[in-house]
mmCIF file of all heavy atoms in Angstrom:
data_model
loop_
_atom_site.group_PDB
_atom_site.id
_atom_site.type_symbol
_atom_site.label_atom_id
_atom_site.label_comp_id
_atom_site.label_asym_id
_atom_site.label_seq_id
_atom_site.Cartn_x
_atom_site.Cartn_y
_atom_site.Cartn_z
ATOM 1 N N GLN A 207 0.525 -7.470 9.932
ATOM 2 C CA GLN A 207 0.925 -6.394 10.840
ATOM 3 C C GLN A 207 2.051 -5.585 10.208
ATOM 4 O O GLN A 207 3.030 -6.147 9.739
ATOM 5 C CB GLN A 207 1.389 -6.976 12.182
ATOM 6 C CG GLN A 207 1.857 -5.923 13.180
ATOM 7 C CD GLN A 207 2.290 -6.543 14.501
ATOM 8 O OE1 GLN A 207 1.919 -7.673 14.803
ATOM 9 N NE2 GLN A 207 3.073 -5.817 15.270
ATOM 10 N N GLY A 208 1.878 -4.242 10.177
ATOM 11 C CA GLY A 208 2.874 -3.373 9.582
ATOM 12 C C GLY A 208 4.091 -3.206 10.465
ATOM 13 O O GLY A 208 4.206 -3.852 11.510
ATOM 14 N N PRO A 209 5.025 -2.346 10.064
ATOM 15 C CA PRO A 209 4.906 -1.389 8.953
ATOM 16 C C PRO A 209 5.086 -2.058 7.585
ATOM 17 O O PRO A 209 5.674 -3.130 7.483
ATOM 18 C CB PRO A 209 6.037 -0.395 9.235
ATOM 19 C CG PRO A 209 7.060 -1.202 9.971
ATOM 20 C CD PRO A 209 6.282 -2.167 10.814
ATOM 21 N N PHE A 210 4.553 -1.380 6.540
ATOM 22 C CA PHE A 210 4.594 -1.911 5.189
ATOM 23 C C PHE A 210 5.422 -0.987 4.302
ATOM 24 O O PHE A 210 5.175 0.212 4.242
ATOM 25 C CB PHE A 210 3.180 -2.026 4.625
ATOM 26 C CG PHE A 210 2.269 -2.881 5.478
ATOM 27 C CD1 PHE A 210 1.350 -2.285 6.323
ATOM 28 C CD2 PHE A 210 2.354 -4.257 5.435
ATOM 29 C CE1 PHE A 210 0.516 -3.069 7.116
ATOM 30 C CE2 PHE A 210 1.531 -5.044 6.226
ATOM 31 C CZ PHE A 210 0.607 -4.453 7.067
ATOM 32 N N SER A 211 6.358 -1.548 3.603
ATOM 33 C CA SER A 211 7.195 -0.775 2.690
ATOM 34 C C SER A 211 6.436 -0.481 1.399
ATOM 35 O O SER A 211 5.407 -1.107 1.103
ATOM 36 C CB SER A 211 8.471 -1.550 2.360
ATOM 37 O OG SER A 211 8.141 -2.728 1.635
ATOM 38 N N GLN A 212 6.960 0.443 0.620
ATOM 39 C CA GLN A 212 6.377 0.708 -0.694
ATOM 40 C C GLN A 212 6.418 -0.559 -1.548
ATOM 41 O O GLN A 212 5.454 -0.874 -2.264
ATOM 42 C CB GLN A 212 7.135 1.829 -1.403
ATOM 43 C CG GLN A 212 6.620 2.108 -2.821
ATOM 44 C CD GLN A 212 7.396 3.198 -3.545
ATOM 45 O OE1 GLN A 212 8.028 4.035 -2.908
ATOM 46 N NE2 GLN A 212 7.366 3.182 -4.864
ATOM 47 N N GLU A 213 7.513 -1.302 -1.450
ATOM 48 C CA GLU A 213 7.666 -2.510 -2.257
ATOM 49 C C GLU A 213 6.600 -3.549 -1.911
ATOM 50 O O GLU A 213 6.037 -4.197 -2.807
ATOM 51 C CB GLU A 213 9.065 -3.100 -2.050
ATOM 52 C CG GLU A 213 10.191 -2.295 -2.633
ATOM 53 C CD GLU A 213 10.537 -1.049 -1.807
ATOM 54 O OE1 GLU A 213 10.108 -0.964 -0.626
ATOM 55 O OE2 GLU A 213 11.227 -0.173 -2.342
ATOM 56 N N LEU A 214 6.307 -3.711 -0.626
ATOM 57 C CA LEU A 214 5.284 -4.682 -0.230
ATOM 58 C C LEU A 214 3.908 -4.219 -0.686
ATOM 59 O O LEU A 214 3.095 -5.024 -1.168
ATOM 60 C CB LEU A 214 5.299 -4.885 1.288
ATOM 61 C CG LEU A 214 4.260 -5.871 1.833
ATOM 62 C CD1 LEU A 214 4.334 -7.205 1.119
ATOM 63 C CD2 LEU A 214 4.415 -6.053 3.338
ATOM 64 N N ASN A 215 3.639 -2.926 -0.547
ATOM 65 C CA ASN A 215 2.357 -2.401 -1.035
ATOM 66 C C ASN A 215 2.203 -2.655 -2.540
ATOM 67 O O ASN A 215 1.140 -3.073 -3.005
ATOM 68 C CB ASN A 215 2.258 -0.903 -0.750
ATOM 69 C CG ASN A 215 1.970 -0.597 0.706
ATOM 70 O OD1 ASN A 215 1.110 -1.223 1.325
ATOM 71 N ND2 ASN A 215 2.677 0.373 1.268
ATOM 72 N N GLU A 216 3.253 -2.404 -3.289
ATOM 73 C CA GLU A 216 3.191 -2.637 -4.733
ATOM 74 C C GLU A 216 2.981 -4.118 -5.048
ATOM 75 O O GLU A 216 2.229 -4.473 -5.968
ATOM 76 C CB GLU A 216 4.476 -2.150 -5.398
ATOM 77 C CG GLU A 216 4.611 -0.646 -5.460
ATOM 78 C CD GLU A 216 5.828 -0.214 -6.260
ATOM 79 O OE1 GLU A 216 6.040 -0.781 -7.358
ATOM 80 O OE2 GLU A 216 6.564 0.669 -5.799
ATOM 81 N N ALA A 217 3.624 -4.980 -4.266
ATOM 82 C CA ALA A 217 3.477 -6.421 -4.496
ATOM 83 C C ALA A 217 2.034 -6.863 -4.272
ATOM 84 O O ALA A 217 1.491 -7.671 -5.042
ATOM 85 C CB ALA A 217 4.423 -7.198 -3.592
ATOM 86 N N LEU A 218 1.401 -6.344 -3.236
ATOM 87 C CA LEU A 218 0.000 -6.687 -2.969
ATOM 88 C C LEU A 218 -0.916 -6.163 -4.070
ATOM 89 O O LEU A 218 -1.872 -6.833 -4.466
ATOM 90 C CB LEU A 218 -0.415 -6.120 -1.614
ATOM 91 C CG LEU A 218 0.242 -6.744 -0.377
ATOM 92 C CD1 LEU A 218 -0.175 -5.992 0.884
ATOM 93 C CD2 LEU A 218 -0.111 -8.216 -0.257
ATOM 94 N N ILE A 219 -0.615 -4.971 -4.549
ATOM 95 C CA ILE A 219 -1.410 -4.380 -5.634
ATOM 96 C C ILE A 219 -1.345 -5.267 -6.873
ATOM 97 O O ILE A 219 -2.364 -5.548 -7.522
ATOM 98 C CB ILE A 219 -0.910 -2.953 -5.943
ATOM 99 C CG1 ILE A 219 -1.280 -2.008 -4.788
ATOM 100 C CG2 ILE A 219 -1.488 -2.444 -7.263
ATOM 101 C CD1 ILE A 219 -0.599 -0.650 -4.867
ATOM 102 N N ARG A 220 -0.135 -5.734 -7.202
ATOM 103 C CA ARG A 220 0.015 -6.597 -8.374
ATOM 104 C C ARG A 220 -0.635 -7.966 -8.153
ATOM 105 O O ARG A 220 -1.338 -8.488 -9.027
ATOM 106 C CB ARG A 220 1.507 -6.784 -8.702
ATOM 107 C CG ARG A 220 2.199 -5.538 -9.229
ATOM 108 C CD ARG A 220 3.552 -5.909 -9.813
ATOM 109 N NE ARG A 220 4.412 -6.552 -8.807
ATOM 110 C CZ ARG A 220 5.247 -5.888 -8.017
ATOM 111 N NH1 ARG A 220 5.348 -4.551 -8.096
ATOM 112 N NH2 ARG A 220 6.000 -6.531 -7.146
ATOM 113 N N GLN A 221 -0.391 -8.537 -6.979
ATOM 114 C CA GLN A 221 -0.880 -9.886 -6.691
ATOM 115 C C GLN A 221 -2.400 -9.980 -6.795
ATOM 116 O O GLN A 221 -2.933 -10.966 -7.328
ATOM 117 C CB GLN A 221 -0.434 -10.296 -5.281
ATOM 118 C CG GLN A 221 -0.990 -11.628 -4.778
ATOM 119 C CD GLN A 221 -0.382 -12.820 -5.488
ATOM 120 O OE1 GLN A 221 0.722 -12.724 -6.017
ATOM 121 N NE2 GLN A 221 -1.096 -13.926 -5.500
ATOM 122 N N TYR A 222 -3.085 -8.944 -6.307
ATOM 123 C CA TYR A 222 -4.548 -9.000 -6.244
ATOM 124 C C TYR A 222 -5.225 -8.096 -7.276
ATOM 125 O O TYR A 222 -6.416 -7.844 -7.170
ATOM 126 C CB TYR A 222 -4.997 -8.655 -4.822
ATOM 127 C CG TYR A 222 -4.502 -9.675 -3.813
ATOM 128 C CD1 TYR A 222 -3.436 -9.376 -2.962
ATOM 129 C CD2 TYR A 222 -5.066 -10.940 -3.751
ATOM 130 C CE1 TYR A 222 -2.960 -10.313 -2.055
ATOM 131 C CE2 TYR A 222 -4.591 -11.885 -2.847
ATOM 132 C CZ TYR A 222 -3.534 -11.568 -2.007
ATOM 133 O OH TYR A 222 -3.057 -12.517 -1.117
ATOM 134 N N HIS A 223 -4.457 -7.631 -8.245
ATOM 135 C CA HIS A 223 -5.012 -6.845 -9.363
ATOM 136 C C HIS A 223 -5.857 -5.671 -8.829
ATOM 137 O O HIS A 223 -6.999 -5.466 -9.244
ATOM 138 C CB HIS A 223 -5.857 -7.737 -10.274
ATOM 139 C CG HIS A 223 -5.147 -8.975 -10.727
ATOM 140 N ND1 HIS A 223 -4.099 -8.936 -11.624
ATOM 141 C CD2 HIS A 223 -5.304 -10.284 -10.375
ATOM 142 C CE1 HIS A 223 -3.647 -10.168 -11.832
ATOM 143 N NE2 HIS A 223 -4.359 -11.000 -11.086
ATOM 144 N N ILE A 224 -5.243 -4.914 -7.931
ATOM 145 C CA ILE A 224 -5.928 -3.797 -7.274
ATOM 146 C C ILE A 224 -6.015 -2.599 -8.223
ATOM 147 O O ILE A 224 -5.057 -2.269 -8.929
ATOM 148 C CB ILE A 224 -5.179 -3.396 -5.979
ATOM 149 C CG1 ILE A 224 -5.130 -4.569 -4.996
ATOM 150 C CG2 ILE A 224 -5.818 -2.169 -5.345
ATOM 151 C CD1 ILE A 224 -6.475 -5.070 -4.524
ATOM 152 N N GLU A 225 -7.185 -1.943 -8.219
ATOM 153 C CA GLU A 225 -7.386 -0.727 -9.000
ATOM 154 C C GLU A 225 -7.564 0.511 -8.123
ATOM 155 O O GLU A 225 -7.354 1.638 -8.579
ATOM 156 C CB GLU A 225 -8.625 -0.879 -9.888
ATOM 157 C CG GLU A 225 -8.514 -1.973 -10.937
ATOM 158 C CD GLU A 225 -7.476 -1.653 -12.000
ATOM 159 O OE1 GLU A 225 -7.176 -0.454 -12.194
ATOM 160 O OE2 GLU A 225 -6.950 -2.603 -12.615
ATOM 161 N N TYR A 226 -7.946 0.301 -6.831
ATOM 162 C CA TYR A 226 -8.177 1.418 -5.921
ATOM 163 C C TYR A 226 -7.588 1.073 -4.554
ATOM 164 O O TYR A 226 -7.827 -0.009 -4.018
ATOM 165 C CB TYR A 226 -9.680 1.705 -5.756
ATOM 166 C CG TYR A 226 -10.356 2.056 -7.056
ATOM 167 C CD1 TYR A 226 -10.912 1.055 -7.854
ATOM 168 C CD2 TYR A 226 -10.413 3.374 -7.508
ATOM 169 C CE1 TYR A 226 -11.503 1.360 -9.062
ATOM 170 C CE2 TYR A 226 -11.005 3.684 -8.717
ATOM 171 C CZ TYR A 226 -11.544 2.671 -9.493
ATOM 172 O OH TYR A 226 -12.129 2.975 -10.695
ATOM 173 N N LEU A 227 -6.792 1.999 -4.005
ATOM 174 C CA LEU A 227 -6.233 1.824 -2.668
ATOM 175 C C LEU A 227 -6.878 2.861 -1.759
ATOM 176 O O LEU A 227 -6.734 4.065 -1.983
ATOM 177 C CB LEU A 227 -4.710 1.996 -2.693
ATOM 178 C CG LEU A 227 -3.936 1.585 -1.432
ATOM 179 C CD1 LEU A 227 -2.462 1.353 -1.766
ATOM 180 C CD2 LEU A 227 -4.038 2.604 -0.305
ATOM 181 N N VAL A 228 -7.578 2.386 -0.732
ATOM 182 C CA VAL A 228 -8.279 3.278 0.194
ATOM 183 C C VAL A 228 -7.473 3.370 1.480
ATOM 184 O O VAL A 228 -7.093 2.349 2.069
ATOM 185 C CB VAL A 228 -9.699 2.759 0.502
ATOM 186 C CG1 VAL A 228 -10.440 3.748 1.391
ATOM 187 C CG2 VAL A 228 -10.476 2.523 -0.793
ATOM 188 N N THR A 229 -7.222 4.591 1.928
ATOM 189 C CA THR A 229 -6.380 4.786 3.096
ATOM 190 C C THR A 229 -6.825 5.988 3.915
ATOM 191 O O THR A 229 -7.552 6.852 3.435
ATOM 192 C CB THR A 229 -4.912 4.980 2.670
ATOM 193 O OG1 THR A 229 -4.081 5.126 3.849
ATOM 194 C CG2 THR A 229 -4.750 6.241 1.817
ATOM 195 N N LYS A 230 -6.376 6.006 5.155
ATOM 196 C CA LYS A 230 -6.460 7.194 5.995
ATOM 197 C C LYS A 230 -5.084 7.861 5.988
ATOM 198 O O LYS A 230 -4.087 7.251 5.595
ATOM 199 C CB LYS A 230 -6.838 6.820 7.428
ATOM 200 C CG LYS A 230 -8.217 6.197 7.571
ATOM 201 C CD LYS A 230 -8.463 5.769 9.012
ATOM 202 C CE LYS A 230 -9.839 5.150 9.179
ATOM 203 N NZ LYS A 230 -10.076 4.660 10.560
ATOM 204 N N ASP A 231 -5.032 9.109 6.445
ATOM 205 C CA ASP A 231 -3.748 9.791 6.579
ATOM 206 C C ASP A 231 -3.176 9.460 7.948
ATOM 207 O O ASP A 231 -3.403 10.166 8.920
ATOM 208 C CB ASP A 231 -3.916 11.311 6.420
ATOM 209 C CG ASP A 231 -2.610 12.051 6.688
ATOM 210 O OD1 ASP A 231 -1.550 11.393 6.747
ATOM 211 O OD2 ASP A 231 -2.662 13.282 6.857
ATOM 212 N N GLY A 232 -2.454 8.353 8.004
ATOM 213 C CA GLY A 232 -1.828 7.952 9.257
ATOM 214 C C GLY A 232 -0.506 8.643 9.503
ATOM 215 O O GLY A 232 0.160 8.355 10.503
ATOM 216 N N GLY A 233 -0.110 9.557 8.608
ATOM 217 C CA GLY A 233 1.150 10.264 8.779
ATOM 218 C C GLY A 233 2.342 9.354 8.530
ATOM 219 O O GLY A 233 2.196 8.184 8.157
ATOM 220 N N PRO A 234 3.555 9.861 8.760
ATOM 221 C CA PRO A 234 4.762 9.054 8.542
ATOM 222 C C PRO A 234 4.765 7.757 9.346
ATOM 223 O O PRO A 234 5.156 6.708 8.834
ATOM 224 C CB PRO A 234 5.893 9.994 8.993
ATOM 225 C CG PRO A 234 5.342 11.371 8.786
ATOM 226 C CD PRO A 234 3.876 11.262 9.124
ATOM 227 N N ALA A 235 4.307 7.826 10.596
ATOM 228 C CA ALA A 235 4.309 6.624 11.436
ATOM 229 C C ALA A 235 3.309 5.592 10.955
ATOM 230 O O ALA A 235 3.460 4.396 11.225
ATOM 231 C CB ALA A 235 4.000 7.006 12.885
ATOM 232 N N GLY A 236 2.279 6.029 10.235
ATOM 233 C CA GLY A 236 1.255 5.119 9.746
ATOM 234 C C GLY A 236 1.503 4.600 8.345
ATOM 235 O O GLY A 236 0.652 3.898 7.778
ATOM 236 N N GLY A 237 2.644 4.945 7.763
ATOM 237 C CA GLY A 237 2.995 4.415 6.454
ATOM 238 C C GLY A 237 2.237 5.031 5.290
ATOM 239 O O GLY A 237 2.143 4.427 4.219
ATOM 240 N N PHE A 238 1.720 6.258 5.474
ATOM 241 C CA PHE A 238 0.929 6.863 4.394
ATOM 242 C C PHE A 238 1.771 7.114 3.155
ATOM 243 O O PHE A 238 1.328 6.839 2.024
ATOM 244 C CB PHE A 238 0.301 8.176 4.863
ATOM 245 C CG PHE A 238 -0.466 8.881 3.782
ATOM 246 C CD1 PHE A 238 -1.749 8.484 3.448
ATOM 247 C CD2 PHE A 238 0.099 9.942 3.079
ATOM 248 C CE1 PHE A 238 -2.460 9.114 2.437
ATOM 249 C CE2 PHE A 238 -0.601 10.581 2.071
ATOM 250 C CZ PHE A 238 -1.882 10.170 1.750
ATOM 251 N N ALA A 239 2.968 7.616 3.311
ATOM 252 C CA ALA A 239 3.813 7.938 2.157
ATOM 253 C C ALA A 239 4.103 6.695 1.329
ATOM 254 O O ALA A 239 4.108 6.751 0.084
ATOM 255 C CB ALA A 239 5.125 8.569 2.631
ATOM 256 N N GLU A 240 4.331 5.566 1.986
ATOM 257 C CA GLU A 240 4.617 4.325 1.273
ATOM 258 C C GLU A 240 3.405 3.849 0.473
ATOM 259 O O GLU A 240 3.549 3.327 -0.636
ATOM 260 C CB GLU A 240 5.062 3.243 2.266
ATOM 261 C CG GLU A 240 6.440 3.452 2.862
ATOM 262 C CD GLU A 240 6.473 4.490 3.981
ATOM 263 O OE1 GLU A 240 5.393 4.992 4.382
ATOM 264 O OE2 GLU A 240 7.574 4.795 4.477
ATOM 265 N N LYS A 241 2.216 4.025 1.039
ATOM 266 C CA LYS A 241 1.004 3.638 0.308
ATOM 267 C C LYS A 241 0.768 4.552 -0.894
ATOM 268 O O LYS A 241 0.438 4.086 -1.993
ATOM 269 C CB LYS A 241 -0.199 3.663 1.261
ATOM 270 C CG LYS A 241 -0.207 2.514 2.254
ATOM 271 C CD LYS A 241 -1.456 2.498 3.107
ATOM 272 C CE LYS A 241 -1.387 3.441 4.255
ATOM 273 N NZ LYS A 241 -2.511 3.256 5.220
ATOM 274 N N ALA A 242 0.930 5.850 -0.677
ATOM 275 C CA ALA A 242 0.724 6.800 -1.769
ATOM 276 C C ALA A 242 1.725 6.568 -2.894
ATOM 277 O O ALA A 242 1.365 6.613 -4.083
ATOM 278 C CB ALA A 242 0.837 8.229 -1.244
ATOM 279 N N ALA A 243 2.966 6.311 -2.529
ATOM 280 C CA ALA A 243 3.996 6.080 -3.540
ATOM 281 C C ALA A 243 3.716 4.794 -4.308
ATOM 282 O O ALA A 243 3.937 4.724 -5.530
ATOM 283 C CB ALA A 243 5.375 6.016 -2.889
ATOM 284 N N ALA A 244 3.232 3.774 -3.616
ATOM 285 C CA ALA A 244 2.935 2.505 -4.278
ATOM 286 C C ALA A 244 1.784 2.668 -5.263
ATOM 287 O O ALA A 244 1.823 2.130 -6.380
ATOM 288 C CB ALA A 244 2.599 1.444 -3.233
#
């Protein structure tokens, strides 16, 4: 359950060797900027 920081998103990307992050534009309240930055 969110919200998720950029740091947590990056940690998940590294942990699971992610190559593609799929998202909707949830706006600031939906944590989109943190996902894009990660």
